Amino acid sequence: MSKKYDIAIIGAGVVGASIARRLSRYKLTVALLEKEVDVSFGTSKANSGIIHAGFHDTPGSLKAELCVRGNTEYDRLADELEFPFERRGELVVAFDEEQQQTLYKLYRNGQQNGVRYMELLGRERTLELEPNLNPDVLGSLYAPTAGIIGPYEYCFALVENAVKNGVELLLSFEVAGIHKTNNFFSVESSDGRSIESSFLVNAAGLCADRIAAMCGMNNFKITPRKGEEYLLDKRVGKLVRRVIFPAPKTNSKGILVIPTIDGPVMIGPTADDIDDKEDFSTTKEGLDRVFAFTSHTVPAIRVSDIITSFAGLRPVPSRNDFIIDKTEVSGFINAAGIQSPGLTASPAIAEKICGIILSCGLRMELNPDFNPKRKAKIRTRTLVENRDYDTLGKLIQSDKNYSKLVCRCENVSEAEIIDAIYRGHTTIDSIKYATRACSGRCQGGFCTSRILQLISEHAGIDILKITKKGPGSELILHRIDKGHQ
């Protein structure tokens, strides 16, 4: 017999995770369904990690409303969940008169959207804030309320806390069919599992149109918009302090120079609408476009500083805004088409979804046992960079695995890898996202074999079955007996 829940959420990216954590404040039974082997493995894993101020979006739109409201939530969330977050600010830079006019328009947008502390800066002040910008810059729009974040660490923290407060996480649950009978949705997975729920929240990212169609609704489509991004060596991590935007285009905010929360600078993304929802390739043409643009904005960027590349797919809806509302199918609620600024807006989206569910008549009684706190693991890398050897020494006394560095590029210890495994991360990519092992200059060339051993030892998984990111990405094909090739 299928287990019954009050609410099932399809999709465990930052939006679904935020909704799950928000619902865990109430005396409800909640299931979070994710088709991948770990959370944050879809659109969220390739997010640029920017908490936007909120001036890019059209006044009166859901994007504008929820971005500005969501932005204000991050100080509290970072305190409760202990994920890294910094309010670095963002600059939109102009190099000609037409782009200057765009800055004025964005400034007016921001005023109407309620963005605080914005300033229009001249050339001298712009270069004072960011001295590595091209000296031909004419001016900028500065918004100090913008920030940077680790998107997957944020998602992991939300899910960990939601699960601690009673949400059930079902991984590798690819929805294959949805049927509604007797006021319950029956949700079936491709591997034969099934659950039932009174309410169903569609936060399925790129697959949100397919999920809606399973409930008989074909009133929107999701188009993947590919963005190629390139990560620079942390050696040049201090090129910019703030997120640097160009004057935006109609289909994107443009190609950016982004300081990441972990130190390295990222450049990108491109913005190309494609048909294939599985196309995560990067291209020479994409690199040339990104490098040409960013090297004009920040001339010190060199192509030789690039250590890796990746691509993400934004879920672009056929409507020109987020799709967040109840539907003609009673109990089915969309949180669809959540492209940028979806990460920023995610706390406000969760609040809005809770309001919709309440308006539909579900009794939502606060759970007095709800614990908003989540404790993060201390990072060896942070202690080394801050030269805090007293704390590091005490950690090593409590657990000698802190003295064993697995990833020497990023100073990640064996203790941190083991902790991530016991938090449920058992693929190479999820260990990478949880700890930063494999993220440095060698990109896992020296530490992957030891991480495979640790996963096998502590998760009890045959080393031949350990994957990079799920079935079909196994890293070791077969064992070689000693003395044989």
Side-chain angles (χ1 to χ4, degrees):
M1 180 178 291
S2 301
K3 186 167 181 179
K4 289 187 177 179
Y5 299 88
D6 294 315
I7 303 166
I9 305 158
I10 301 174
V14 293
V15 174
S18 293
I19 296 168
R21 197 229 180 199
R22 183 85 190 183
L23 289 170
S24 72
R25 296 168 178 267
Y26 302 95
K27 291 182 178 178
L28 298 169
T29 54
V30 179
L32 180 59
L33 314 178
E34 171 53 52
K35 74 183 179 72
E36 304 292 347
V37 296
D38 208 337
V39 306
S40 193
F41 263 34
T43 299
S44 298
K45 74 173 184 300
N47 192 288
S48 300
I50 302 167
I51 301 304
H52 295 280
F55 54 76
H56 278 99
D57 301 301
T58 305
S61 66
L62 265 181
K63 284 184 180 179
E65 174 195 339
L66 299 178
C67 177
V68 173
R69 197 193 311 166
N71 176 295
T72 63
E73 293 286 318
Y74 277 87
D75 298 284
R76 178 182 57 79
L77 286 168
D79 178 64
E80 290 179 347
L81 300 174
E82 296 192 3
F83 59 82
F85 166 63
E86 294 180 27
R87 285 200 188 276
R88 295 276 191 94
E90 57 192 6
L91 282 174
V92 186
V93 294
F95 289 94
D96 59 36
E97 181 55 31
E98 184 180 354
Q99 293 176 3
Q100 287 269 48
Q101 293 302 317
T102 301
L103 300 192
Y104 299 142
K105 179 177 182 295
L106 293 175
Y107 183 77
R108 290 193 295 274
N109 274 0
Q111 286 182 313
Q112 292 180 62
N113 293 343
V115 179
R116 297 178 298 168
Y117 312 127
M118 289 183 302
E119 293 180 75
L120 285 165
L121 306 180
R123 175 181 180 275
E124 187 175 335
R125 177 62 176 149
T126 300
L127 289 173
E128 189 177 301
L129 289 178
E130 294 294 346
N132 288 317
L133 284 176
N134 187 327
D136 292 337
V137 67
L138 297 180
S140 65
L141 170 60
Y142 175 44
T145 55
I148 54 174
I149 192 176
Y152 20 82
E153 290 167 288
Y154 169 55
C155 191
F156 290 166
L158 288 166
V159 173
E160 275 184 35
N161 188 248
V163 169
K164 185 177 181 181
N165 284 295
V167 170
E168 291 190 34
L169 173 64
L170 282 73
L171 295 170
S172 303
F173 194 108
E174 183 177 17
V175 175
I178 302 172
H179 307 282
K180 189 172 186 188
T181 53
N182 300 325
N183 295 322
F184 276 95
F185 292 95
S186 175
V187 185
E188 298 161 358
S189 74
S190 56
D191 62 2
R193 289 175 287 169
S194 66
I195 60 110
E196 293 184 355
S197 69
S198 301
F199 286 83
L200 198 55
V201 179
N202 177 15
L206 287 168
C207 299
D209 52 352
R210 185 173 69 85
I211 296 297
M214 288 181 186
C215 290
M217 288 173 292
N218 295 287
N219 54 355
F220 68 88
K221 283 192 173 297
I222 298 292
T223 300
R225 180 170 292 162
K226 184 160 78 168
E228 297 183 28
E229 304 207 63
Y230 297 84
L231 194 68
L232 308 185
D233 193 299
K234 64 181 180 183
R235 180 179 59 80
V236 290
K238 295 182 179 177
L239 275 177
V240 294
R241 165 83 183 160
R242 297 157 189 84
V243 182
I244 309 299
F245 287 81
K249 298 180 178 179
T250 53
N251 70 337
S252 83
K253 295 181 173 71
I255 295 175
L256 322 180
V257 181
I258 309 162
T260 66
I261 197 73
D262 295 301
V265 166
M266 188 160 60
I267 56 176
T270 55
D272 299 309
D273 291 352
I274 60 175
D275 297 322
D276 186 355
K277 293 184 177 181
E278 301 293 331
D279 179 4
F280 294 96
S281 61
T282 55
T283 62
K284 175 70 165 55
E285 189 272 336
L287 169 62
D288 289 344
R289 239 188 308 159
V290 168
F291 181 70
F293 193 89
T294 54
S295 62
H296 173 260
T297 307
V298 181
I301 292 175
R302 296 177 302 180
V303 74
S304 58
D305 292 325
I306 294 172
I307 61 170
T308 190
S309 62
F310 61 91
L313 302 178
R314 296 97 127 181
V316 180
S318 48
R319 307 176 195 175
N320 192 29
D321 205 350
F322 293 158
I323 302 171
I324 304 173
D325 209 346
K326 56 189 173 186
T327 67
E328 61 202 54
V329 178
S330 178
F332 184 81
I333 297 165
N334 277 318
I338 313 297
Q339 56 170 326
S340 179
L343 173 69
T344 309
S346 58
I349 292 172
E351 182 184 358
K352 188 173 183 65
I353 292 292
C354 284
I356 292 170
I357 293 172
L358 184 63
S359 73
C360 290
L362 183 66
R363 180 182 171 84
M364 297 177 71
E365 184 180 350
L366 284 171
N367 177 8
D369 296 325
F370 172 73
N371 180 1
K373 294 288 187 179
R374 171 252 187 191
K375 193 71 179 170
K377 193 76 172 176
I378 296 175
R379 290 188 170 191
T380 307
R381 182 170 64 96
T382 306
L383 298 177
V384 171
E385 288 174 355
N386 294 335
R387 298 181 180 275
D388 186 357
Y389 299 119
D390 287 342
T391 303
L392 183 58
K394 290 175 184 173
L395 276 178
I396 291 171
Q397 281 185 342
S398 67
D399 182 350
K400 292 195 181 303
N401 288 326
Y402 274 105
S403 67
K404 303 172 186 172
L405 284 184
V406 176
C407 172
R408 294 182 180 275
C409 296
E410 295 295 314
N411 287 319
V412 182
S413 68
E414 196 164 296
E416 292 159 88
I417 304 287
I418 293 170
D419 174 71
I421 293 167
Y422 283 104
R423 287 178 189 251
H425 306 301
T426 56
T427 67
I428 293 297
D429 274 3
S430 55
I431 293 291
K432 175 181 177 178
Y433 299 149
T435 68
R436 282 197 62 74
C438 307
S439 298
R441 184 85 198 181
C442 85
Q443 288 291 295
F446 290 96
C447 60
T448 299
S449 59
R450 181 57 184 149
I451 295 171
L452 287 169
Q453 289 176 328
L454 291 170
I455 293 174
S456 182
E457 289 169 17
H458 292 274
I461 302 174
D462 187 317
I463 206 161
L464 296 180
K465 295 182 179 178
I466 298 173
T467 67
K468 182 176 187 298
K469 56 182 180 181
S473 62
E474 288 77 10
L475 293 159
I476 299 176
L477 298 179
H478 57 83
R479 289 186 172 82
I480 299 176
D481 293 333
K482 189 174 182 179
H484 292 76
Q485 293 186 340

